[in-house]
Each structure stands twice: as structure tokens, then as C-alpha cells.
Amino acid sequence: QVQPVESGGGLVQAGGSLQLSCAAPGRIFATNVMSWFRQAPGKERQFVARIRGTSIGYAESVKGRFTISRDNADGTVYLQMNNLKPEDTGVYFCAASSIATTRPRDINYWGRGTQVTVSS
């Protein structure tokens, strides 16, 4: 099944930084809104950030700390995460949708996720 592939997760101390990458197949990357969601243990999956062309959106909880970007040349989406907090811990999923959305049910393609753990 065609899907995005995430990389770059890991363990970091509070205040540290990580960069996540998402490689998406060409036909998915070119025609969809690319987003990042995350899911903490025992909680619902939640929107983090999205990008389509120059249009960008962030969840309030990550504004000013996270930056989403995309490289159109190689079909990669990045999430630069700075000043990480323990509450940022979770599995981070790359996602593609035909519309700009914060709702997991609107997503057409999901990656398998990458674990991010922030220690206090």
C-alpha cells in the first residue's frame, strides 16, 4: 500500500530539538495537503501542523516552537521541533489529505508513525 514514511524520532530532554522527516510518494505529495498528527498514550490522535504550497497551519500548543516545511524537489515534508516539552511525547504521524483539516477522519493516507519521547 502506498503511504508516507516517517523518520527522525527519538529521545530528547525537555528544551531540546528534533527534526522529523516524511517521504511521500510523488502522487501523494504533489496533490495533497501534508500534515503531522501525534498521539500520546491513551489519548486521541491530534493535529499538529499542515502545509500546502505556502499555506501553513499549526495547533495552538506548538505555535512558535514547531516549524513545518516541504521540499518539492524530493517530495519530503519536515517538522522542526524546538523547545520540546514532556507533553510533546507521542507517536508522530505524517498524513496526506485532499482538504486542509485538523480531523483525523478526513485523512486519506497515513504513515506508520515515529516515536518522540521528551524527558523532564
Side-chain angles (χ1 to χ4, degrees):
Q1 182 176 350
V2 175
Q3 64 184 145
V5 178
E6 306 92 339
S7 62
L11 173 64
V12 65
Q13 289 188 331
S17 298
L18 280 175
Q19 185 182 66
L20 306 182
S21 301
C22 169
R27 67 180 181 88
I28 293 176
F29 183 87
T31 62
N32 285 273
V33 179
M34 299 301 300
S35 302
W36 289 95
F37 284 73
R38 68 186 179 190
Q39 189 165 17
K43 296 189 177 180
E44 294 185 351
R45 197 167 297 188
Q46 62 177 195
F47 167 76
V48 175
R50 65 169 179 262
I51 185 169
R52 186 177 201 172
T54 58
S55 176
I56 291 175
Y58 296 99
E60 285 295 326
S61 60
V62 306
K63 278 184 179 179
R65 300 188 298 120
F66 289 14
T67 302
I68 189 171
S69 60
R70 59 191 290 162
D71 185 334
N72 293 325
D74 64 8
T76 303
V77 180
Y78 301 96
L79 185 68
Q80 177 66 42
M81 306 184 294
N82 298 326
N83 191 22
L84 282 160
K85 304 176 181 181
E87 51 264 42
D88 295 317
T89 293
V91 179
Y92 282 68
F93 297 90
C94 182
S97 57
S98 57
I99 60 173
T101 183
T102 62
R103 303 184 304 185
R105 65 185 180 186
D106 293 330
I107 298 299
N108 302 114
Y109 301 95
W110 289 104
R112 293 185 176 181
T114 185
Q115 177 70 44
V116 172
T117 303
V118 184
S119 63
S120 58

